[in-house]
């Protein structure tokens, strides 16, 4: 690894002009390309304070061995040169957008003597008009099948077309009037080209004139009693209308724009684009990018626009989720490529804002599906677990990982979550949630939830006799574990949180998040094939009798130390602990002064992030549920003998809770069904007072 100071440019040698710079590795390969309004300011920022840089930038600088630059005249030229160099050198530390699939287009080969309608993928060809892209090829074929009734353009390959001309007989589509059969001379080349141009006009959005023309011809045919021809024209009109229904109208008829949305996490980002032409969504396309450098949404948008529109057609308007940092220069570059003005906008309200939200939902779903595909790969999961074991110096791969997170708002409704990953996959049936009693902050909450979870673990082990079986080999540790288990049993009445459906263990997962166990009932666990212990009294699994290999807490060194302290006090020394800090994705081990930095491309880091994010999601879900429940609760809910009907009668009588709170017990007794004892209990509940002895006895 190189020292950046060894190749730092000499003071004063870097110009202050706009330009593009390249970092190269010892072999001369370009590993990063960047642009700058001022080369001197930008490059000096890399070398001025190395320790203050982001870890990803530090990795790039230590990988590089030299830096060079090219001065340009304007920011627009810098953008152009940056795009050209990224395309030429494919630097490893630059953001790379990978198309998440090969999208099909509807293509019309207008450059041929007899234009052909077909589905095309890949690079665009000169002389061919493209419509789309579409999500699926079958969507194109359905649309074409409907339109061929009205625009019977050739769809056959060159070989089929040539053979039909040689034998003088058209293909099946020619016989059923879905092809004008230019191969056998039914129409002239000019007439067939006119059909193809009409087809393209309809696909481009000029739909009204075709429907009006067919309707006029249908009425004329009916007027002269040509009913069969009128019926065919009616069916043609219906075919065009069905084709239009497949293209959702979202904006005005004259609107041509691309709508771009992002969904991102610290490691990856997904981009979705909806293509709107003539006010209709003509297609969509998606990309996924590895964030090998730290970038804001605006910077991601800029990089995406440069890569996407380097060769693609640019519309009049582009809707984006965030403004790029060099917006003016980017607009000038795109306008120059298009040949006319291009507007770059962030929608704030109305139909365009609603469409942007739809595209954003698609981007989030695309990112989720990408993560699911990546997580489902067995080889990738195995590599991730081994990378975690190597980084944390574990004896074996952590086949069972438990992660804990705390959620609250200003110390109110504090909750914690526990999620479980076995063999790198989420096991939602093992998720648990806790109501936290501590009000001393996140560190104390982590200590509490770890203590409560592993007290139950020791309690379950004591119930199965495992601790007694270990007493001969490790008497000291068994005694400590038995003592902790006893304290857990003693506290079990107060420590049972959110009881699960019929689960003896007590900490139930949300119904929406509870997954199903294996087909054999409660199945086989992920650690060496050991089955989850079964409670002989209930026949259900002992939910807390199975320990993890690794405990992950959401947080830094303080949270990791709190979790380790909780385990130490319980006498548990065979479970590894680490914390994952959000800001820089650092892994902290208890007692260490420096974090463990996993490589940016590490599958182990990706798995730890997934575990942490899932714990965060599960904690927030429970916190929101609990907060909503508390907001709906009323002081009247806990008054003995006061049911829903009487509460409604009180509110109807006084009009509001405020007026009810100001009323005396005698005034409350005026409500039918309210006696003296109940009235005094209501007054005490609303005013925060202790009820009178009479009220207590009622």
């Amino acid at each position: 690894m190189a020292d950046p100071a060894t190749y730092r440019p000499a003071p004063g040698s870097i110009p202050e002009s706009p330009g593009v710079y390249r970092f190269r590795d010892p072999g001369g390969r370009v590993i990063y390309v960047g642009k700058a309004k001022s080369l001197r300011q930008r490059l000096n920022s890399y070398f001025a304070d190395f320790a203050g840089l982001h870890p990803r930038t530090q990795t790039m600088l230590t990988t590089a061995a030299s830096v060079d630059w090219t001065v340009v005249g304007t920011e627009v030229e810098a953008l152009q040169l940056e795009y050209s160099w990224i395309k030429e050198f494919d630097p490893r530390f630059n953001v790379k957008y990978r198309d998440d699939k090969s999208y099909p287009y509807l293509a019309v080969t207008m450059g041929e003597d007899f234009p052909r309608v077909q589905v095309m993928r890949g690079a665009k060809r000169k002389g061919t008009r493209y419509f789309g892209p579409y999500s699926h090829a079958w969507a194109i074929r359905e649309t074409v099948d409907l339109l061929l009734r009205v625009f019977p353009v050739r769809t056959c390959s060159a070989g089929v077309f040539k053979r039909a001309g040689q034998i003088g007989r058209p293909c099946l589509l020619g016989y059923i009037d879905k092809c004008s059969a230019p191969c056998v001379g039914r129409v002239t080349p000019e007439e067939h080209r006119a059909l193809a141009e009409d087809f393209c006009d309809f696909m481009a959005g000029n739909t009204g004139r075709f429907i009006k023309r067919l309707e006029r011809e249908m009425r004329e045919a009916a007027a002269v009693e040509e009913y069969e021809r009128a019926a065919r024209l009616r069916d043609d009109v219906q075919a065009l209308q069905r084709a239009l229904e497949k293209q959702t109208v979202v904006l005005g008829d004259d609107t041509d724009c691309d709508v771009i949305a992002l969904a991102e996490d610290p490691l990856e980002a997904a981009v979705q684009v909806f293509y709107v032409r003539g006010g209709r969504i003509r297609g969509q396309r998606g990309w996924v990018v590895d964030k090998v450098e730290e970038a804001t949404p605006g910077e991601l948008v800029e990089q995406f626009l440069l890569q996407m529109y380097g060769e693609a057609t640019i519309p009049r308007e582009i809707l984006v989720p965030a403004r790029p940092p060099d917006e003016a220069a980017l607009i000038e570059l795109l306008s120059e490529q298009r040949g006319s003005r291009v507007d770059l906008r962030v929608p704030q309200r109305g139909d365009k804002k609603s469409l942007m939200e739809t595209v954003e939902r698609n981007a989030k779903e695309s990112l989720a599906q990408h993560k699911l595909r990546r997580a489902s790969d067995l080889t990738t999961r195995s590599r991730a677990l081994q990378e975690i074991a190597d980084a944390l110096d574990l004896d074996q791969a952590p086949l069972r990982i438990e992660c804990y997170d705390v959620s609250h708002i200003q110390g109110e409704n504090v909750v914690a979550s526990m999620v479980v990953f076995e063999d790198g996959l989420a096991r939602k049936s093992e998720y648990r949630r806790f109501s936290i009693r501590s009000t001393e902050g996140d560190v104390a909450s982590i200590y509490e939830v770890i203590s409560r979870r592993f007290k139950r673990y020791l309690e379950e082990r004591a119930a199965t006799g495992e601790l007694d079986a270990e007493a001969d080999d490790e008497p000291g540790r068994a005694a400590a574990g038995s003592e902790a288990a006893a304290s857990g049993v003693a506290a079990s009445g107060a420590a049972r949180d959110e009881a699960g459906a019929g689960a003896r263990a007590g900490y139930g997962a949300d119904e929406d998040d509870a997954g199903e166990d294996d087909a054999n009932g409660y199945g086989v666990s992920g650690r060496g094939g050991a089955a989850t212990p079964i409670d002989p009294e209930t026949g259900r699994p002992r939910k807390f009798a199975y320990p993890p290999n690794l405990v992950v807490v959401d947080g830094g060194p303080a949270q990791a130390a709190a979790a380790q302290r909780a385990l130490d006090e319980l006498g548990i020394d065979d479970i590894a602990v680490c914390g994952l800090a959000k800001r820089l994705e650092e892994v902290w081990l208890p007692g260490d002064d420096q974090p463990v930095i996993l490589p940016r491309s590490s599958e182990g880091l990706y798995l730890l992030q997934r575990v942490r994010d899932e714990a965060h999601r599960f904690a927030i879900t429970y916190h929101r549920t609990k907060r909503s429940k508390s907001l709906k609760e009323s002081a009247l809910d806990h008054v003995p003998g006061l049911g829903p009907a009487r509460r409604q009668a009180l509110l109807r009588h006084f009009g509001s809770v405020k007026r009810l709170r100001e009323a005396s017990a005698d005034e409350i007794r005026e409500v039918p069904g309210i006696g003296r004892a109940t009235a005094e209990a209501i007054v005490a509940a609303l005013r925060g007072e202790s009820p009178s002895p009479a009220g207590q006895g009622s």
Side-chain angles (χ1 to χ4, degrees):
M1 292 179 42
D3 181 358
T6 61
Y7 63 88
R8 178 176 182 173
S13 64
I14 308 175
E16 296 184 353
S17 307
V20 183
Y21 55 91
R22 295 176 292 191
F23 282 90
R24 299 177 182 268
D25 64 11
R29 184 176 57 183
V30 176
I31 62 172
Y32 183 76
V33 172
K35 62 172 175 55
K37 297 179 183 178
S38 171
L39 285 169
R40 178 176 297 180
Q41 293 182 9
R42 187 70 183 95
L43 288 176
N44 282 341
S45 68
Y46 285 106
F47 301 100
D49 181 17
F50 180 81
L53 296 175
H54 193 280
R56 293 184 292 272
T57 308
Q58 292 178 353
T59 303
M60 186 271 289
L61 290 175
T62 54
T63 304
S66 63
V67 60
D68 58 58
W69 57 83
T70 298
V71 176
V72 297
T74 65
E75 295 177 37
V76 175
E77 292 179 16
L79 281 170
Q80 291 175 320
L81 184 57
E82 181 192 30
Y83 168 72
S84 299
W85 278 0
I86 289 175
K87 186 176 180 181
E88 177 181 355
F89 299 114
D90 190 26
R92 56 176 289 200
F93 284 97
N94 280 95
V95 168
K96 300 179 182 67
Y97 287 90
R98 306 186 309 275
D99 196 343
D100 56 5
K101 65 176 78 171
S102 177
Y103 283 86
Y105 286 80
L106 171 57
V108 185
T109 57
M110 298 300 293
E112 299 182 6
D113 293 336
F114 294 95
R116 174 190 176 193
V117 175
Q118 63 183 113
V119 177
M120 275 191 177
R121 299 176 186 263
K124 293 182 171 59
R125 305 174 186 175
K126 188 176 181 180
T128 300
R129 292 196 62 179
Y130 292 88
F131 303 93
Y134 289 79
S135 301
H136 304 283
W138 55 261
I140 301 178
R141 295 188 179 97
E142 282 187 356
T143 301
V144 170
D145 187 62
L146 291 170
L147 295 182
L148 288 181
R149 287 185 54 92
V150 185
F151 310 108
V153 186
R154 165 198 164 205
T155 58
C156 59
S157 65
V160 173
F161 184 84
K162 181 178 179 180
R163 176 173 173 76
Q166 290 173 343
I167 64 177
R169 188 172 67 233
C171 63
L172 176 62
L173 292 178
Y175 282 108
I176 63 176
D177 296 328
K178 285 196 173 183
C179 178
S180 56
C183 53
V184 295
R186 286 188 187 175
V187 294
T188 64
E190 293 75 16
E191 291 172 336
H192 185 267
R193 180 168 293 276
L195 284 173
E197 290 174 350
D198 287 346
F199 181 95
C200 292
D201 285 346
F202 184 87
M203 290 301 301
N206 302 323
T207 58
R209 67 185 181 93
F210 295 105
I211 294 179
K212 290 178 181 178
R213 186 189 71 189
L214 291 175
E215 289 177 341
R216 184 179 65 252
E217 292 177 359
M218 179 183 66
R219 288 192 294 269
E220 291 173 354
V224 296
E225 299 183 356
E226 294 182 3
Y227 298 119
E228 291 184 1
R229 179 168 176 267
R232 285 196 301 272
L233 291 169
R234 177 203 61 198
D235 294 341
D236 291 346
V237 171
Q238 292 175 350
L240 292 184
Q241 290 173 340
R242 287 198 300 275
L244 289 176
E245 289 172 359
K246 294 178 178 292
Q247 303 173 22
T248 307
V249 178
V250 291
L251 301 173
D253 290 342
D254 60 344
T255 302
D256 290 344
C257 68
D258 289 351
V259 188
I260 301 170
L262 293 169
E264 57 177 321
D265 63 17
L267 283 177
E268 296 174 306
V271 182
Q272 282 283 315
V273 181
F274 276 26
Y275 301 93
V276 179
R277 300 294 182 268
R280 301 176 184 274
I281 298 176
R282 303 295 183 180
Q284 71 179 95
R285 193 174 181 182
W287 290 261
V288 178
V289 57
D290 288 324
K291 295 170 64 176
V292 294
E293 61 173 345
E294 188 175 18
T296 64
E299 290 170 340
L300 287 173
V301 167
E302 179 180 288
Q303 294 159 355
F304 174 74
L305 293 177
L306 285 174
Q307 295 187 39
M308 175 180 175
Y309 293 117
E311 299 175 351
T313 303
I314 304 175
R316 293 194 301 261
E317 183 179 10
I318 302 174
L319 304 182
V320 295
R323 296 189 181 279
D326 297 329
E327 181 179 2
L330 187 59
I331 290 176
E332 184 178 347
L333 176 61
L334 295 175
S335 300
E336 181 180 323
Q337 291 179 345
R338 187 177 189 272
S340 61
R341 172 73 180 178
V342 174
D343 291 326
L344 202 61
R345 297 177 180 173
V346 179
Q348 301 295 330
R349 62 184 67 85
D351 293 338
K352 292 181 179 179
K353 175 66 172 177
S354 299
L355 181 57
M356 174 64 75
E357 292 172 351
T358 300
V359 183
E360 184 178 351
R361 286 195 295 272
N362 279 265
K364 291 179 179 178
E365 178 63 23
S366 175
L367 183 60
Q369 291 298 321
H370 170 75
K371 286 185 173 184
L372 185 63
R373 287 193 297 270
R374 184 173 178 180
S376 62
D377 181 68
L378 178 60
T379 303
T380 301
R381 297 202 315 270
S382 300
R383 184 166 67 250
L385 293 172
Q386 190 58 51
E387 286 179 359
I388 293 173
D390 294 341
L392 303 185
D393 196 22
L394 305 180
D395 295 334
Q396 60 178 342
L399 298 182
R400 179 180 170 108
I401 301 174
E402 292 182 3
C403 185
Y404 298 82
D405 187 22
V406 175
S407 181
H408 61 87
I409 293 181
Q410 297 181 344
E412 296 292 332
N413 297 313
V414 185
V415 300
S417 66
M418 163 187 149
V419 301
V420 179
F421 274 56
E422 291 188 351
D423 293 331
L425 294 177
R427 185 160 183 178
K428 293 190 174 182
S429 62
E430 301 282 326
Y431 287 13
R432 297 294 175 266
R433 55 191 191 180
F434 303 78
S435 291
I436 300 300
R437 305 182 187 91
S438 174
T439 58
E440 299 177 6
D442 289 353
V443 174
S445 298
I446 287 291
Y447 172 80
E448 177 183 332
V449 69
I450 296 294
S451 298
R452 287 161 58 179
R453 183 265 184 264
F454 286 98
K455 281 179 182 177
R456 297 305 306 273
Y457 159 59
L458 295 174
E459 174 190 346
E460 296 287 3
R461 291 188 67 192
T464 59
E466 291 184 39
L467 290 178
D468 295 336
E470 294 179 356
D472 295 336
D473 297 330
E474 301 180 74
R477 178 182 168 189
S482 299
E483 181 180 351
S487 64
V489 172
S492 62
R496 295 183 185 275
D497 309 276
E498 305 300 321
R504 181 180 181 274
Y507 308 126
D510 282 336
E511 292 182 4
D512 293 340
D513 289 276
E516 294 183 1
D517 287 355
D518 297 335
N520 294 330
Y522 293 99
V524 176
S525 67
R527 185 183 181 186
T532 302
I534 300 298
D535 188 331
E537 298 179 4
T538 64
R540 298 188 178 94
R542 296 183 183 275
K543 293 290 187 179
F544 285 90
Y546 187 62
N549 304 104
L550 175 64
V551 167
V552 181
V553 294
D554 183 12
Q559 286 80 1
Q564 186 64 61
R565 179 162 51 90
L567 292 177
D568 291 343
E569 292 177 0
L570 293 173
I572 300 173
D573 59 4
D574 58 348
I575 296 176
V577 175
C578 73
L580 182 61
K582 284 190 179 72
R583 190 173 71 89
L584 298 178
E585 304 301 332
E586 299 166 331
V587 180
W588 289 90
L589 296 177
D592 286 2
D593 295 331
Q594 297 296 326
V596 176
I597 304 296
L598 290 173
R600 201 54 195 156
S601 58
S602 166
E603 291 295 339
L605 177 60
Y606 176 77
L607 176 57
L608 288 177
Q609 280 191 314
R610 285 189 59 236
V611 174
R612 190 269 315 280
D613 293 345
E614 179 69 355
H616 184 63
R617 179 200 65 80
F618 193 49
I620 286 179
T621 301
Y622 181 37
H623 170 72
R624 288 173 178 167
T625 301
K626 191 171 182 180
R627 189 179 71 221
S628 298
K629 184 178 179 181
S630 67
L631 291 175
K632 295 176 182 177
E633 288 182 347
S634 166
L636 297 176
D637 293 344
H638 306 291
V639 176
L642 191 64
R646 289 185 177 182
R647 288 199 296 269
Q648 290 295 326
L650 285 168
L651 292 176
R652 282 196 301 268
H653 181 83
F654 289 98
S656 67
V657 176
K658 179 180 179 181
R659 292 180 60 184
L660 176 59
R661 185 178 288 109
E662 296 171 351
S664 64
D666 291 336
E667 291 173 332
I668 294 176
R669 288 179 59 195
E670 296 176 1
V671 179
I674 304 296
R676 176 179 295 278
T678 303
E680 291 177 352
I682 292 171
V683 171
L686 293 177
R687 298 180 183 176
E689 303 170 354
S690 299
S692 65
Q696 290 178 350
S698 61

